[in-house]
C-alpha cells in the first residue's frame, strides 16, 4: 500500500511540474505576442501622428497657387525721389532684376490678381527706355503683379504713329499670353509713387493725373494720354486706337471719345498718388505735330467701327525676347 501511495504521489508531482512548465511557456508566449502587438500599435500611432503633422505642415505652408495676392501689396513704399544716372547701362538694370526672364515676372509668394501687359511705343529713345525699365521693373514687382513688358519699335522713316504701335503691341502680346489688362505707356513718363497701382479697373483708367512739367496738375479736362489702363474687353469694345494719327497729338483724345461713346467713363487715382516725372527731351524728327488731328477727332463717331484693331495692318520685322522686355519691330 505504501508503495502504491508513493507511486501515486510521484505521478502527482510530475503532473504538477509539467503543468507549471506549460503555464510558464504559455505566459512567456503571451508576453512576446502582447509586446509585439503593443510595438506595432505604437509604431502605427507614431506613423499616423507623423502623417497628420506632415498634412498639417503642408496646409500651413502657402504655395503660389493656394491664395491670391492682396489688393494692396505689403511691399509698397509710396512716393520716391527719382534719379537718372547718365552712365546707367542695360547690364546694370538686368543685374538688379534677376527674376525677370524674357521681359516676364510673376510673384512666387502668391497668385497675382491680374496678368498685365505693359505696351511701350518706341523709336530713337534708347536712354529713356533704359531709365523707364530701371524704375518700372522694381515698381511692378513691389505691386506683386504678373506682368510682361513689350516695346513696340517703329522702323523706317515714316512719321511716328504711337496709336498704331499700341494696337500692334496689343495684337502681338495676345499671341504670347492671355493678358487680362493692358497698360499703354509712354517711354518718357516714369511713375513716382508705387501706390499708383498698375491694374485695370471696371472702367478705363487714366494713370497720369499730374507730372513734373505741368506742376503735377492734369494737363486739361478730358486728358487721357501718357499712361492708360484698359482691360481686354474694354479695349476690344472701342476697337482699339485709330490707326490714322501720324505725328504728335490727337490719338489719346480719340480713344477717350471712343470710351465715352461706349457709355464707359474714365477713372483716375488720387492726384497725390498718380504723379510722374517726365524725362526732358526735344520733339523728335519724324514726330512733328499732327495738323490733321482736329479734323480726325471730328470724324470719330463715323470711323471708329472700321478704323482700329480690325484694320491694323503692319509688316512684322522681328520679335526678340530680351532679358528685360520683348522687342517687337514693325514697319508701316
Amino acid at each position: 500500500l505504501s508503495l502504491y501511495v508513493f507511486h501515486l504521489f510521484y505521478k502527482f508531482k510530475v503532473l504538477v511540474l509539467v503543468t507549471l512548465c506549460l503555464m510558464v511557456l504559455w505566459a512567456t508566449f503571451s508576453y512576446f505576442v502582447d509586446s509585439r502587438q503593443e510595438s506595432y500599435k505604437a509604431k502605427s500611432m507614431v506613423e499616423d501622428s507623423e502623417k497628420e503633422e506632415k498634412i498639417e505642415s503642408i496646409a500651413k505652408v502657402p504655395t503660389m497657387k493656394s491664395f491670391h495676392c492682396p489688393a494692396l501689396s505689403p511691399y509698397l513704399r509710396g512716393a520716391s525721389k527719382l534719379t537718372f544716372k547718365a552712365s546707367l547701362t542695360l547690364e546694370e538694370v538686368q543685374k538688379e532684376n534677376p527674376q525677370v526672364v524674357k521681359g516676364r515676372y510673376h510673384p512666387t509668394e502668391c497668385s497675382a490678381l491680374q496678368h498685365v501687359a505693359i505696351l511701350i511705343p518706341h523709336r530713337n529713345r534708347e536712354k529713356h527706355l533704359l531709365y523707364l525699365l530701371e524704375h518700372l521693373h522694381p515698381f511692378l514687382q513691389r505691386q506683386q503683379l504678373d506682368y510682361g513688358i513689350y516695346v513696340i519699335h517703329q522702323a523706317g522713316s515714316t512719321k511716328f504713329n504711337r496709336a498704331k504701335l499700341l494696337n500692334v503691341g496689343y495684337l502681338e502680346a495676345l499671341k504670347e499670353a492671355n493678358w487680362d489688362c493692358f497698360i499703354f505707356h509712354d517711354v518718357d513718363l516714369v511713375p513716382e509713387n508705387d501706390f499708383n497701382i498698375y491694374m485695370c479697373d471696371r472702367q478705363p483708367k487714366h494713370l497720369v493725373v499730374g507730372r513734373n512739367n505741368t506742376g503735377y496738375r492734369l494737363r486739361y479736362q478730358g486728358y487721357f494720354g501718357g499712361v492708360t489702363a484698359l482691360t481686354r474687353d474694354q479695349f476690344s469694345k472701342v476697337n482699339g486706337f485709330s490707326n490714322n494719327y501720324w505725328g504728335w497729338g490727337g490719338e489719346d483724345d480719340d480713344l477717350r471719345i471712343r470710351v465715352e461713346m461706349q457709355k464707359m467713363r474714365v477713372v483716375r487715382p488720387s492726384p497725390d498718388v498718380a504723379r510722374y516725372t517726365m524725362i526732358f527731351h526735344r520733339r523728335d524728327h519724324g514726330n512733328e505735330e499732327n495738323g490733321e488731328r482736329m479734323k480726325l477727332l471730328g470724324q470719330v463717331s463715323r470711323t471708329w467701327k472700321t478704323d482700329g484693331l480690325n484694320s491694323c495692318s503692319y509688316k512684322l520685322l522681328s520679335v526678340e525676347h530680351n532679358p528685360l522686355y520683348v522687342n517687337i519691330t514693325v514697319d508701316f
Side-chain angles (χ1 to χ4, degrees):
L1 183 65
S2 61
L3 188 62
Y4 175 74
V5 171
F6 174 77
H7 279 297
L8 192 64
F9 182 69
Y10 176 76
K11 286 180 181 179
F12 176 74
K13 280 205 301 184
V14 170
L15 184 62
V16 169
L17 190 61
V18 170
T19 304
L20 285 171
C21 288
L22 288 171
M23 287 175 69
V24 169
L25 286 170
W26 176 255
T28 306
F29 176 75
S30 298
Y31 172 77
F32 280 116
V33 168
D34 289 344
S35 297
R36 194 162 183 177
Q37 285 178 342
E38 289 300 319
S39 174
Y40 177 76
K41 282 181 184 175
K43 189 178 179 182
S44 296
M45 286 174 69
V46 169
E47 285 177 353
D48 290 343
S49 175
E50 285 176 352
K51 281 180 185 174
E52 284 175 11
E53 284 177 12
K54 194 173 182 181
I55 290 166
E56 236 174 79
S57 67
I58 289 169
K60 284 178 185 175
V61 177
T63 61
M64 193 186 82
K65 298 298 179 185
S66 65
F67 65 94
H68 287 299
C69 299
L72 211 58
S73 166
Y75 306 125
L76 301 181
R77 299 175 183 171
S80 300
K81 184 167 178 59
L82 303 180
T83 56
F84 305 100
K85 191 173 72 171
S87 60
L88 183 69
T89 65
L90 191 62
E91 289 71 26
E92 287 178 83
V93 182
Q94 287 175 16
K95 192 175 178 181
E96 290 296 317
N97 296 278
Q99 290 178 298
V100 179
V101 179
K102 295 181 179 180
R104 296 282 302 271
Y105 170 88
H106 64 81
T108 55
E109 67 276 16
C110 55
S111 180
L113 294 174
Q114 291 186 12
H115 304 287
V116 183
I118 315 293
L119 309 181
I120 304 169
H122 177 262
R123 184 165 69 179
N124 302 326
R125 295 281 192 90
E126 279 69 23
K127 203 66 179 181
H128 289 175
L129 177 60
L130 189 57
Y131 289 145
L132 179 59
L133 292 171
E134 178 195 18
H135 292 286
L136 196 56
H137 273 298
F139 173 93
L140 297 170
Q141 289 163 32
R142 291 196 300 273
Q143 293 186 0
Q144 293 181 304
L145 296 178
D146 182 332
Y147 71 87
I149 293 182
Y150 294 84
V151 175
I152 309 92
H153 175 75
Q154 182 177 334
S157 56
T158 55
K159 273 194 176 182
F160 191 65
N161 192 325
R162 173 183 181 268
K164 194 169 185 179
L165 287 173
L166 291 171
N167 280 345
V168 170
Y170 173 87
L171 295 169
E172 290 296 321
L174 282 175
K175 292 177 183 178
E176 294 201 339
N178 191 26
W179 300 106
D180 304 318
C181 174
F182 294 84
I183 308 288
F184 304 96
H185 207 300
D186 280 357
V187 73
D188 55 4
L189 287 173
V190 183
E192 298 179 4
N193 192 320
D194 56 15
F195 279 89
N196 190 6
I197 306 300
Y198 272 41
M199 286 197 290
C200 289
D201 213 318
R202 292 180 180 178
Q203 299 290 335
K205 185 160 69 169
H206 183 222
L207 295 164
V208 188
V209 176
R211 57 195 197 192
N212 58 339
N213 67 330
T214 62
Y216 294 103
R217 293 186 298 271
L218 196 65
R219 280 187 66 198
Y220 55 87
Q221 192 64 33
Y223 176 54
F224 195 46
V227 184
T228 51
L230 287 88
T231 65
R232 183 175 177 175
D233 181 61
Q234 290 163 0
F235 197 62
S236 176
K237 194 178 284 186
V238 299
N239 195 22
F241 282 95
S242 165
N243 298 305
N244 294 326
Y245 288 83
W246 300 92
W248 181 89
E251 78 288 340
D252 44 7
D253 292 316
D254 185 297
L255 184 66
R256 175 183 50 79
I257 294 169
R258 292 172 181 236
V259 163
E260 292 169 351
M261 285 178 63
Q262 296 305 309
K263 308 301 181 189
M264 294 186 285
R265 62 185 179 84
V266 174
V267 296
R268 294 185 177 92
S270 63
D272 60 324
V273 164
R275 295 162 68 96
Y276 285 75
T277 294
M278 186 176 193
I279 306 167
F280 176 77
H281 62 90
R282 298 185 187 281
R283 183 71 52 78
D284 302 315
H285 175 69
N287 193 30
E288 291 80 15
E289 191 172 306
N290 181 359
E292 297 290 309
R293 66 184 188 280
M294 299 312 294
K295 178 184 172 184
L296 290 168
L297 287 170
Q299 299 171 354
V300 179
S301 60
R302 299 194 305 273
T303 59
W304 75 272
K305 286 185 180 178
T306 54
D307 172 26
L309 288 173
N310 60 5
S311 63
C312 183
S313 59
Y314 55 96
K315 184 179 180 182
L316 183 63
L317 300 181
S318 66
V319 178
E320 300 166 291
H321 292 83
N322 298 325
L324 295 175
Y325 61 94
V326 180
N327 190 78
I328 301 167
T329 303
V330 293
D331 196 3
F332 301 135

